[in-house]
Amino acid sequence: MRHLLSLFDVSQQELQTILSLSEQTKGLLARGVRPDWLARMVLAMLFEKQSLRTRVSFESGMNQLGGSAMFLGQEVGWQKREATSDFVRVISQYVDFLVCRAKSHGSVEELASYDCVPVINGLTDRCHPCQALADLLTMRASVGSLSGVQVTFVGDGNNVAVSLALASAMVGMRFRLLGPASYRMPEDQVEKIIENYPNADIVQTDDAAEGMRGAQFVYSDVWTSMGQEDEEAERLAAFADYQVNESLMSKADANAKFLHCLPAKRGEEVSEEVIDSPSSLIVEQAGNRMHAQKGLLIWLALQHEQLTASRLAADGIELPLGIS
Ligand code: CP
Ligand code: NVA
């Protein structure tokens, strides 16, 4: 059974297939076409943390494809009322996909370990693969080919940074993390990226000139992620010199675009001028969450033979490599 706990769960070719399905489905939607490729399929969305984009875009995406989605919050008692083994083996009889946003990455690994329903990571403390899919779509729409393009992530080496670094390695992009030395990406994650993608071009630096030089995309995220609220004061002090503002943007490429996964704390990690500037792609980027996840759901349905390639072809989808 295929899951998406991180982008390590797909090959480079599979990633390209998901992006292509996303772009083609986005194109159909723009022409008012909403094929019901996932008709009567059901997605459960199990969330331990707050969400706007992930929750709503998954639900809308499923509906647009003819399926449905249900939100499961605290009331279902996951990890409280019964063992996860019972929880997931039961729910897998009711639903076709399970998206989970969990405090601990180990929790989504545990759900997937029973291999009874495809599990999609909707954000954990370790990574945010669905965000990275949308980020790649957004950058591709902006510059075309991503090979050799540089994205500089400014701030904390957090879940969003880790997924973006891996996504960059998988498509041949250069990745820079600019921020204080004590907030780098976890070493084991960087090592795993380099082990899997030896050509990965990843540099972590606290030097603004070095980090921003050559950046076509400048990315930021909150300095204090969900679950780190106790560290907020310490983090505000540590990141104070790393706000993405006009002065920092002037060190990037002249036409550099600004990205942010949102929600943003305006006036902290990014200035109002930059987030609202013409170079800011944040609205398109958030919109692409839905298109990316539709591509992912379609790809998973193909993998599990709940959808056929000929059905897609009948609706004019060009079949990417690896799907017959
Ligand atoms: N970027 C993102 O995942 O947003 P939400 O937390 O609102 O889902
Ligand atoms: N790093 C942030 C991303 C939110 C989408 C967090 O984990 O809270």
Side-chain angles (χ1 to χ4, degrees), residues 44-225:
M45 307 188 293
L46 179 61
F47 278 50
E48 268 195 307
K49 294 178 174 182
Q50 290 181 302
S51 170
L52 168 67
R53 281 144 286 270
T54 307
R55 172 185 175 169
V56 180
S57 60
F58 263 114
E59 181 158 354
S60 294
M62 271 308 282
N63 276 285
Q64 289 179 6
L65 291 165
S68 62
M70 71 181 72
F71 183 76
L72 307 176
Q74 304 290 337
E75 70 286 352
V76 293
W78 176 46
Q79 295 179 320
K80 294 195 174 73
R81 281 184 81 218
E82 57 195 314
T84 291
S85 57
D86 294 336
F87 180 96
V88 71
R89 286 181 302 154
V90 168
I91 201 174
S92 68
Q93 300 174 103
Y94 309 147
V95 305
D96 301 285
F97 310 100
L98 177 61
V99 175
C100 179
R101 170 166 287 197
K103 290 179 186 162
S104 160
H105 192 76
S107 300
V108 295
E109 287 178 332
E110 190 186 3
L111 287 167
S113 70
Y114 296 96
D115 233 16
C116 50
V117 62
V119 176
I120 300 169
N121 176 355
L123 180 146
T124 64
D125 54 341
R126 182 183 299 170
C127 58
H128 196 0
C130 294
Q131 180 68 52
L133 291 177
D135 299 340
L136 291 180
L137 278 188
T138 309
M139 292 189 284
R140 210 149 93 157
S142 172
V143 291
S145 168
L146 294 178
S147 178
V149 168
Q150 180 178 320
V151 58
T152 295
F153 185 99
V154 184
D156 186 19
N158 64 14
N159 44 8
V160 173
V162 164
S163 285
L164 188 63
L166 171 54
S168 300
M170 291 177 77
V171 301
M173 287 180 69
R174 292 178 286 137
F175 180 86
R176 304 288 177 263
L177 179 84
L178 168 63
S182 45
Y183 290 92
R184 297 282 186 254
M185 295 183 284
E187 262 174 44
D188 64 327
Q189 292 303 304
V190 178
E191 279 165 16
K192 194 170 167 188
I193 295 172
I194 292 165
E195 199 181 298
N196 281 267
Y197 298 100
N199 294 329
D201 183 348
I202 297 177
V203 174
Q204 304 189 74
T205 178
D206 55 7
D207 182 77
E210 185 190 5
M212 298 297 281
R213 193 178 310 122
Q216 281 116 309
F217 294 97
V218 178
Y219 198 123
S220 79
D221 184 12
V222 290
W223 294 334
T224 304
S225 286

Side-chain angles (χ1 to χ4, degrees), residues 257-291:
K257 304 290 185 209
F258 175 73
L259 299 167
H260 194 303
C261 57
L262 301 180
K265 284 211 168 165
R266 290 162 171 258
E268 287 190 16
E269 75 272 7
V270 57
S271 68
E272 297 269 4
E273 291 76 17
V274 168
I275 198 168
D276 292 328
S277 69
S279 63
S280 173
L281 299 181
I282 58 163
V283 176
E284 296 95 305
Q285 186 185 3
N288 281 329
R289 293 295 307 278
M290 183 179 75
H291 306 300

